[in-house]
Amino acid sequence: MEKRTVIIDCDPGIDDSLALMLALVSPEIRIAGITVVSGNVPADQGGKNALKILKFMGQLDIPVCQGAMVPLKREYISAKDTHGEDGLGESGIPEITEASVHPGAVDFILDTLKREEKVSIIAIGPLTNLALALKKEPLAFQNLDMLVSMGGCFKSYGNCSPVAEYNYWCDPDSAEYVYQNLGRKIHMVGLDVTREIVLSPNILEYMKRLDQKECQKRGAFVEAITRFYFDYHWKYENLIGCVVNDPLAVAYFLNPQLLSGFDAYVAVETGGISIGQSVVDAMGFWKRQPNAHVLTQVDSLGFWSFFLSRLYGMEEERIRQVLKDLMI
Ligand code: RIB
Ligand code: CA
């Protein structure tokens, strides 16, 4: 089967790292490159973190390009409180010296779109790079196959305000610009579905027991970068475990039946008390053409079975049988 060409635009970021790990072990896709945007941490730190993940997964040949350091208009506010000063849960993973981050993420996105017949973009950070690319050369996006964006929320409460999710809250102007100008339906993987994806102590322990030599201690690596995240979730959300948003966007791209939803017109609020809110016109009040496919239902057991089967190269059904008892 022909591989699908993908760019992953991210702000690594603890959950971004899990998303990258899943993408890197999935044979259906060819990652043309990783573009980094300021979000959880500034884009220069995010670029270094992307290299750390590529190194751990043995794929440092994949190019990493640094993008926007600040949002389109808003003052930049990081999520270091959630992801740690280094963006990887203060796990102290050594800097990578055998590869470097390239500049020019926006041009990388445009050049890839113009060079390849079909390119999909999985965006798991603020949409600044995509907005800048769309503004610069909108025609290049005629080769866009699919845009999946982890961001927003429909009926779920926000994680940055009562109504706003971080990626769209961090840069609401870019999110609004992309939703209003892309001209294609954006697959919105928002908090309504990602909140169901909780890395629990049980799942983490199971991962560590699945660790084998050839899988480079992937469970231990995930534990190292999520410990800080577990503490955050206990302190602020009274949750034992951590919500890992981004890998669900990659899993949806690879395995769309894990999620379901509906088409709707979406606008992102760019000011005022509800800045960053993704307003989903589910009832068609505004009689606007749908510009989004809003995901609202998720098979969380199916996600974890898929995620672990890919990470460990194991038969999915075997993992599902174990996870059924571990996922309370
Ligand atoms: O709101 C969650 C999203 O914001 C995730 O992508 C997380 O990594 C942060 O970027
Ligand atoms: Ca992210």
Short mmCIF file of all heavy atoms in Angstrom, two decimals, residues 9-65:
data_model
loop_
_atom_site.label_atom_id
_atom_site.label_comp_id
_atom_site.label_asym_id
_atom_site.label_seq_id
_atom_site.Cartn_x
_atom_site.Cartn_y
_atom_site.Cartn_z
N ASP A 9 3.11 18.96 12.63
CA ASP A 9 3.40 20.30 13.17
C ASP A 9 3.10 20.24 14.67
O ASP A 9 1.97 19.93 15.06
CB ASP A 9 2.53 21.35 12.47
CG ASP A 9 2.95 22.77 12.82
OD1 ASP A 9 4.01 23.21 12.36
OD2 ASP A 9 2.25 23.41 13.63
N CYS A 10 4.10 20.53 15.50
CA CYS A 10 3.93 20.22 16.92
C CYS A 10 4.65 21.21 17.82
O CYS A 10 5.41 22.06 17.36
CB CYS A 10 4.45 18.80 17.18
SG CYS A 10 6.17 18.54 16.66
N ASP A 11 4.41 21.03 19.13
CA ASP A 11 5.08 21.86 20.15
C ASP A 11 5.56 20.95 21.29
O ASP A 11 5.10 21.06 22.43
CB ASP A 11 4.14 22.97 20.67
CG ASP A 11 2.86 22.42 21.29
OD1 ASP A 11 2.42 21.31 20.94
OD2 ASP A 11 2.30 23.12 22.17
N PRO A 12 6.49 20.06 20.98
CA PRO A 12 6.88 19.01 21.95
C PRO A 12 7.57 19.60 23.20
O PRO A 12 8.63 20.20 23.10
CB PRO A 12 7.84 18.12 21.17
CG PRO A 12 8.30 18.91 20.02
CD PRO A 12 7.31 19.99 19.75
N GLY A 13 6.98 19.21 24.28
CA GLY A 13 5.65 18.76 24.65
C GLY A 13 5.64 17.24 24.91
O GLY A 13 6.15 16.46 24.12
N ILE A 14 5.07 16.94 26.10
CA ILE A 14 5.02 15.55 26.55
C ILE A 14 4.10 14.73 25.68
O ILE A 14 4.49 13.70 25.12
CB ILE A 14 4.58 15.48 28.03
CG1 ILE A 14 5.65 16.13 28.92
CG2 ILE A 14 4.34 14.03 28.45
CD1 ILE A 14 5.22 16.38 30.35
N ASP A 15 2.85 15.19 25.49
CA ASP A 15 1.94 14.37 24.69
C ASP A 15 2.28 14.42 23.21
O ASP A 15 2.03 13.46 22.47
CB ASP A 15 0.47 14.72 24.97
CG ASP A 15 0.14 16.18 24.73
OD1 ASP A 15 1.04 17.03 24.82
OD2 ASP A 15 -1.03 16.47 24.44
N ASP A 16 2.88 15.54 22.78
CA ASP A 16 3.40 15.58 21.40
C ASP A 16 4.41 14.46 21.18
O ASP A 16 4.45 13.83 20.13
CB ASP A 16 4.10 16.92 21.12
CG ASP A 16 3.22 18.12 21.32
OD1 ASP A 16 2.88 18.43 22.47
OD2 ASP A 16 2.85 18.76 20.32
N SER A 17 5.22 14.21 22.21
CA SER A 17 6.27 13.18 22.09
C SER A 17 5.65 11.81 21.91
O SER A 17 6.13 11.02 21.09
CB SER A 17 7.15 13.20 23.35
OG SER A 17 7.72 14.49 23.50
N LEU A 18 4.57 11.53 22.62
CA LEU A 18 3.89 10.24 22.45
C LEU A 18 3.28 10.15 21.06
O LEU A 18 3.28 9.09 20.42
CB LEU A 18 2.80 10.04 23.51
CG LEU A 18 3.23 10.17 24.97
CD1 LEU A 18 2.09 9.78 25.89
CD2 LEU A 18 4.46 9.34 25.27
N ALA A 19 2.78 11.28 20.56
CA ALA A 19 2.21 11.32 19.20
C ALA A 19 3.30 11.04 18.17
O ALA A 19 3.11 10.26 17.22
CB ALA A 19 1.57 12.68 18.95
N LEU A 20 4.47 11.63 18.36
CA LEU A 20 5.59 11.41 17.43
C LEU A 20 6.02 9.95 17.48
O LEU A 20 6.26 9.32 16.44
CB LEU A 20 6.77 12.33 17.78
CG LEU A 20 6.56 13.82 17.50
CD1 LEU A 20 7.75 14.62 18.05
CD2 LEU A 20 6.38 14.09 16.00
N MET A 21 6.05 9.37 18.68
CA MET A 21 6.46 7.96 18.80
C MET A 21 5.52 7.06 18.00
O MET A 21 5.96 6.18 17.26
CB MET A 21 6.49 7.54 20.28
CG MET A 21 7.61 8.20 21.08
SD MET A 21 7.47 7.93 22.87
CE MET A 21 8.06 6.25 22.99
N LEU A 22 4.22 7.32 18.10
CA LEU A 22 3.24 6.52 17.36
C LEU A 22 3.43 6.69 15.86
O LEU A 22 3.46 5.70 15.11
CB LEU A 22 1.81 6.90 17.76
CG LEU A 22 0.69 6.22 16.99
CD1 LEU A 22 0.75 4.69 17.14
CD2 LEU A 22 -0.67 6.76 17.45
N ALA A 23 3.60 7.92 15.43
CA ALA A 23 3.78 8.17 13.98
C ALA A 23 5.04 7.49 13.47
O ALA A 23 5.07 6.92 12.38
CB ALA A 23 3.83 9.67 13.73
N LEU A 24 6.07 7.49 14.29
CA LEU A 24 7.38 6.97 13.85
C LEU A 24 7.40 5.45 13.72
O LEU A 24 8.28 4.89 13.07
CB LEU A 24 8.48 7.43 14.83
CG LEU A 24 8.82 8.92 14.78
CD1 LEU A 24 9.59 9.34 16.03
CD2 LEU A 24 9.61 9.25 13.51
N VAL A 25 6.44 4.77 14.31
CA VAL A 25 6.41 3.30 14.19
C VAL A 25 5.27 2.83 13.29
O VAL A 25 4.93 1.65 13.27
CB VAL A 25 6.29 2.61 15.58
CG1 VAL A 25 7.53 2.89 16.42
CG2 VAL A 25 5.03 3.06 16.31
N SER A 26 4.66 3.78 12.56
CA SER A 26 3.50 3.41 11.73
C SER A 26 3.87 3.35 10.26
O SER A 26 4.22 4.36 9.65
CB SER A 26 2.35 4.42 11.99
OG SER A 26 1.89 4.27 13.33
N PRO A 27 3.78 2.15 9.68
CA PRO A 27 4.27 1.93 8.31
C PRO A 27 3.43 2.59 7.23
O PRO A 27 3.88 2.74 6.10
CB PRO A 27 4.23 0.41 8.16
CG PRO A 27 3.20 -0.06 9.14
CD PRO A 27 3.23 0.91 10.28
N GLU A 28 2.19 3.03 7.58
CA GLU A 28 1.32 3.60 6.54
C GLU A 28 1.78 4.99 6.11
O GLU A 28 1.32 5.52 5.09
CB GLU A 28 -0.13 3.75 7.04
CG GLU A 28 -0.79 2.51 7.54
CD GLU A 28 -0.60 2.33 9.05
OE1 GLU A 28 0.46 2.76 9.57
OE2 GLU A 28 -1.49 1.75 9.68
N ILE A 29 2.64 5.62 6.94
CA ILE A 29 2.95 7.02 6.64
C ILE A 29 4.45 7.21 6.43
O ILE A 29 5.27 6.48 6.97
CB ILE A 29 2.47 7.96 7.78
CG1 ILE A 29 3.06 7.57 9.13
CG2 ILE A 29 0.94 7.98 7.83
CD1 ILE A 29 2.64 8.53 10.26
N ARG A 30 4.74 8.22 5.62
CA ARG A 30 6.13 8.69 5.47
C ARG A 30 6.16 10.11 6.03
O ARG A 30 5.45 10.98 5.53
CB ARG A 30 6.51 8.71 3.98
CG ARG A 30 7.92 9.24 3.74
CD ARG A 30 8.27 9.22 2.25
NE ARG A 30 7.54 10.26 1.52
CZ ARG A 30 7.98 11.53 1.44
NH1 ARG A 30 9.10 11.91 2.06
NH2 ARG A 30 7.30 12.44 0.75
N ILE A 31 6.89 10.29 7.10
CA ILE A 31 6.98 11.62 7.71
C ILE A 31 7.97 12.44 6.90
O ILE A 31 9.18 12.22 6.97
CB ILE A 31 7.39 11.53 9.19
CG1 ILE A 31 6.40 10.66 9.98
CG2 ILE A 31 7.45 12.94 9.80
CD1 ILE A 31 6.82 10.40 11.41
N ALA A 32 7.46 13.39 6.11
CA ALA A 32 8.35 14.24 5.29
C ALA A 32 9.17 15.15 6.19
O ALA A 32 10.31 15.51 5.88
CB ALA A 32 7.50 15.07 4.33
N GLY A 33 8.58 15.52 7.33
CA GLY A 33 9.31 16.39 8.26
C GLY A 33 8.46 16.74 9.45
O GLY A 33 7.24 16.54 9.45
N ILE A 34 9.15 17.23 10.47
CA ILE A 34 8.49 17.69 11.69
C ILE A 34 8.73 19.19 11.77
O ILE A 34 9.88 19.66 11.72
CB ILE A 34 9.08 16.96 12.92
CG1 ILE A 34 8.74 15.46 12.87
CG2 ILE A 34 8.56 17.59 14.21
CD1 ILE A 34 9.49 14.62 13.90
N THR A 35 7.63 19.94 11.85
CA THR A 35 7.76 21.40 12.00
C THR A 35 7.33 21.74 13.43
O THR A 35 6.42 21.13 13.98
CB THR A 35 6.89 22.15 10.97
OG1 THR A 35 5.55 21.64 11.02
CG2 THR A 35 7.44 21.95 9.57
N VAL A 36 8.02 22.72 14.00
CA VAL A 36 7.82 23.01 15.42
C VAL A 36 7.36 24.46 15.59
O VAL A 36 7.83 25.36 14.89
CB VAL A 36 9.12 22.77 16.21
CG1 VAL A 36 8.90 23.02 17.70
CG2 VAL A 36 9.61 21.34 15.99
N VAL A 37 6.43 24.63 16.50
CA VAL A 37 5.83 25.95 16.75
C VAL A 37 5.90 26.24 18.25
O VAL A 37 5.91 25.30 19.07
CB VAL A 37 4.35 25.97 16.27
CG1 VAL A 37 3.50 24.97 17.05
CG2 VAL A 37 3.75 27.37 16.34
N SER A 38 5.98 27.47 18.63
CA SER A 38 5.94 27.80 20.05
C SER A 38 4.56 27.47 20.59
O SER A 38 3.53 27.83 20.00
CB SER A 38 6.23 29.28 20.27
OG SER A 38 7.62 29.53 20.18
N GLY A 39 4.57 26.79 21.70
CA GLY A 39 3.31 26.40 22.36
C GLY A 39 3.67 25.97 23.77
O GLY A 39 4.05 26.80 24.59
N ASN A 40 3.67 24.68 23.99
CA ASN A 40 4.03 24.19 25.33
C ASN A 40 5.33 24.84 25.80
O ASN A 40 5.48 25.26 26.94
CB ASN A 40 4.20 22.67 25.32
CG ASN A 40 2.88 21.96 25.11
OD1 ASN A 40 1.85 22.38 25.63
ND2 ASN A 40 2.90 20.91 24.29
N VAL A 41 6.30 24.85 24.87
CA VAL A 41 7.58 25.53 25.13
C VAL A 41 7.92 26.33 23.86
O VAL A 41 7.36 26.09 22.80
CB VAL A 41 8.72 24.54 25.44
CG1 VAL A 41 8.54 23.89 26.82
CG2 VAL A 41 8.87 23.48 24.36
N PRO A 42 8.84 27.31 23.96
CA PRO A 42 9.24 28.06 22.76
C PRO A 42 9.76 27.10 21.68
O PRO A 42 10.30 26.03 21.97
CB PRO A 42 10.34 28.98 23.27
CG PRO A 42 10.04 29.15 24.74
CD PRO A 42 9.45 27.83 25.19
N ALA A 43 9.57 27.51 20.42
CA ALA A 43 9.86 26.62 19.29
C ALA A 43 11.32 26.17 19.26
O ALA A 43 11.62 25.05 18.79
CB ALA A 43 9.49 27.33 17.99
N ASP A 44 12.24 26.97 19.76
CA ASP A 44 13.65 26.52 19.73
C ASP A 44 13.84 25.34 20.69
O ASP A 44 14.49 24.33 20.34
CB ASP A 44 14.61 27.68 20.04
CG ASP A 44 14.24 28.43 21.32
OD1 ASP A 44 13.17 28.14 21.90
OD2 ASP A 44 15.03 29.30 21.73
N GLN A 45 13.23 25.40 21.85
CA GLN A 45 13.29 24.27 22.78
C GLN A 45 12.51 23.07 22.22
O GLN A 45 12.96 21.93 22.28
CB GLN A 45 12.71 24.67 24.14
CG GLN A 45 12.76 23.54 25.19
CD GLN A 45 14.17 23.06 25.50
OE1 GLN A 45 15.07 23.88 25.73
NE2 GLN A 45 14.41 21.74 25.45
N GLY A 46 11.38 23.36 21.61
CA GLY A 46 10.58 22.29 21.00
C GLY A 46 11.34 21.55 19.92
O GLY A 46 11.24 20.32 19.79
N GLY A 47 12.13 22.30 19.15
CA GLY A 47 12.93 21.66 18.11
C GLY A 47 13.95 20.70 18.70
O GLY A 47 14.13 19.56 18.22
N LYS A 48 14.60 21.15 19.77
CA LYS A 48 15.59 20.27 20.44
C LYS A 48 14.90 19.01 20.98
O LYS A 48 15.45 17.91 20.91
CB LYS A 48 16.25 21.02 21.59
CG LYS A 48 17.16 22.17 21.15
CD LYS A 48 17.64 22.94 22.36
CE LYS A 48 18.39 24.21 21.96
NZ LYS A 48 18.64 25.09 23.15
N ASN A 49 13.68 19.21 21.49
CA ASN A 49 12.94 18.05 22.03
C ASN A 49 12.54 17.07 20.93
O ASN A 49 12.58 15.85 21.13
CB ASN A 49 11.71 18.53 22.80
CG ASN A 49 12.07 19.25 24.08
OD1 ASN A 49 13.21 19.15 24.58
ND2 ASN A 49 11.14 20.01 24.63
N ALA A 50 12.17 17.61 19.78
CA ALA A 50 11.81 16.73 18.66
C ALA A 50 13.01 15.85 18.29
O ALA A 50 12.87 14.65 18.04
CB ALA A 50 11.35 17.55 17.47
N LEU A 51 14.21 16.44 18.30
CA LEU A 51 15.41 15.65 17.99
C LEU A 51 15.62 14.54 19.03
O LEU A 51 16.01 13.42 18.70
CB LEU A 51 16.65 16.56 17.96
CG LEU A 51 16.77 17.56 16.81
CD1 LEU A 51 18.04 18.40 16.97
CD2 LEU A 51 16.76 16.85 15.45
N LYS A 52 15.31 14.85 20.29
CA LYS A 52 15.48 13.83 21.35
C LYS A 52 14.57 12.62 21.10
O LYS A 52 14.96 11.48 21.28
CB LYS A 52 15.18 14.44 22.73
CG LYS A 52 16.17 15.51 23.15
CD LYS A 52 15.72 16.22 24.42
CE LYS A 52 16.64 17.40 24.76
NZ LYS A 52 16.15 18.18 25.93
N ILE A 53 13.34 12.91 20.64
CA ILE A 53 12.40 11.82 20.36
C ILE A 53 12.87 11.02 19.14
O ILE A 53 12.87 9.79 19.13
CB ILE A 53 10.97 12.37 20.13
CG1 ILE A 53 10.50 13.20 21.33
CG2 ILE A 53 10.00 11.22 19.83
CD1 ILE A 53 10.58 12.51 22.67
N LEU A 54 13.31 11.75 18.11
CA LEU A 54 13.80 11.06 16.91
C LEU A 54 15.00 10.19 17.24
O LEU A 54 15.12 9.05 16.77
CB LEU A 54 14.15 12.08 15.82
CG LEU A 54 12.98 12.82 15.17
CD1 LEU A 54 13.51 13.85 14.17
CD2 LEU A 54 12.01 11.85 14.48
N LYS A 55 15.89 10.71 18.07
CA LYS A 55 17.08 9.94 18.47
C LYS A 55 16.66 8.67 19.21
O LYS A 55 17.11 7.56 18.90
CB LYS A 55 17.98 10.79 19.37
CG LYS A 55 19.12 10.03 20.09
CD LYS A 55 20.36 9.91 19.22
CE LYS A 55 21.47 9.10 19.89
NZ LYS A 55 22.24 9.86 20.92
N PHE A 56 15.75 8.82 20.16
CA PHE A 56 15.32 7.66 20.95
C PHE A 56 14.68 6.60 20.05
O PHE A 56 14.86 5.41 20.23
CB PHE A 56 14.32 8.09 22.03
CG PHE A 56 13.78 6.93 22.84
CD1 PHE A 56 14.58 6.28 23.78
CD2 PHE A 56 12.50 6.46 22.62
CE1 PHE A 56 14.10 5.21 24.51
CE2 PHE A 56 12.01 5.37 23.33
CZ PHE A 56 12.82 4.74 24.28
N MET A 57 13.96 7.08 19.01
CA MET A 57 13.26 6.14 18.12
C MET A 57 14.12 5.73 16.93
O MET A 57 13.67 5.01 16.05
CB MET A 57 11.95 6.78 17.63
CG MET A 57 10.95 7.10 18.73
SD MET A 57 10.42 5.66 19.67
CE MET A 57 9.27 4.95 18.51
N GLY A 58 15.37 6.21 16.91
CA GLY A 58 16.30 5.80 15.86
C GLY A 58 15.98 6.35 14.49
O GLY A 58 16.23 5.71 13.47
N GLN A 59 15.41 7.55 14.45
CA GLN A 59 15.04 8.10 13.14
C GLN A 59 15.47 9.56 13.01
O GLN A 59 14.70 10.43 12.60
CB GLN A 59 13.52 7.95 12.89
CG GLN A 59 13.09 6.48 12.85
CD GLN A 59 11.64 6.31 12.43
OE1 GLN A 59 11.21 6.85 11.41
NE2 GLN A 59 10.91 5.57 13.22
N LEU A 60 16.72 9.81 13.33
CA LEU A 60 17.23 11.18 13.27
C LEU A 60 17.36 11.69 11.83
O LEU A 60 17.67 12.84 11.61
CB LEU A 60 18.59 11.27 13.96
CG LEU A 60 18.61 11.69 15.43
CD1 LEU A 60 20.03 11.62 15.99
CD2 LEU A 60 18.01 13.08 15.61
N ASP A 61 17.09 10.83 10.85
CA ASP A 61 17.17 11.26 9.45
C ASP A 61 15.99 12.15 9.06
O ASP A 61 16.02 12.85 8.07
CB ASP A 61 17.19 10.04 8.52
CG ASP A 61 15.99 9.12 8.77
OD1 ASP A 61 15.78 8.74 9.95
OD2 ASP A 61 15.25 8.82 7.82
N ILE A 62 14.94 12.13 9.87
CA ILE A 62 13.75 12.95 9.56
C ILE A 62 14.04 14.41 9.91
O ILE A 62 14.50 14.70 11.02
CB ILE A 62 12.53 12.44 10.36
CG1 ILE A 62 12.13 11.04 9.84
CG2 ILE A 62 11.34 13.41 10.24
CD1 ILE A 62 11.00 10.38 10.59
N PRO A 63 13.82 15.33 8.95
CA PRO A 63 14.15 16.73 9.22
C PRO A 63 13.22 17.39 10.23
O PRO A 63 12.01 17.12 10.23
CB PRO A 63 14.03 17.41 7.84
CG PRO A 63 13.14 16.53 7.04
CD PRO A 63 13.33 15.13 7.56
N VAL A 64 13.81 18.22 11.07
CA VAL A 64 13.03 19.03 12.04
C VAL A 64 13.28 20.49 11.69
O VAL A 64 14.42 20.91 11.52
CB VAL A 64 13.49 18.76 13.48
CG1 VAL A 64 12.75 19.68 14.46
CG2 VAL A 64 13.29 17.29 13.86
N CYS A 65 12.18 21.23 11.51
CA CYS A 65 12.31 22.65 11.13
C CYS A 65 11.61 23.54 12.17
O CYS A 65 10.46 23.29 12.53
CB CYS A 65 11.65 22.91 9.77
SG CYS A 65 12.41 21.97 8.43
#
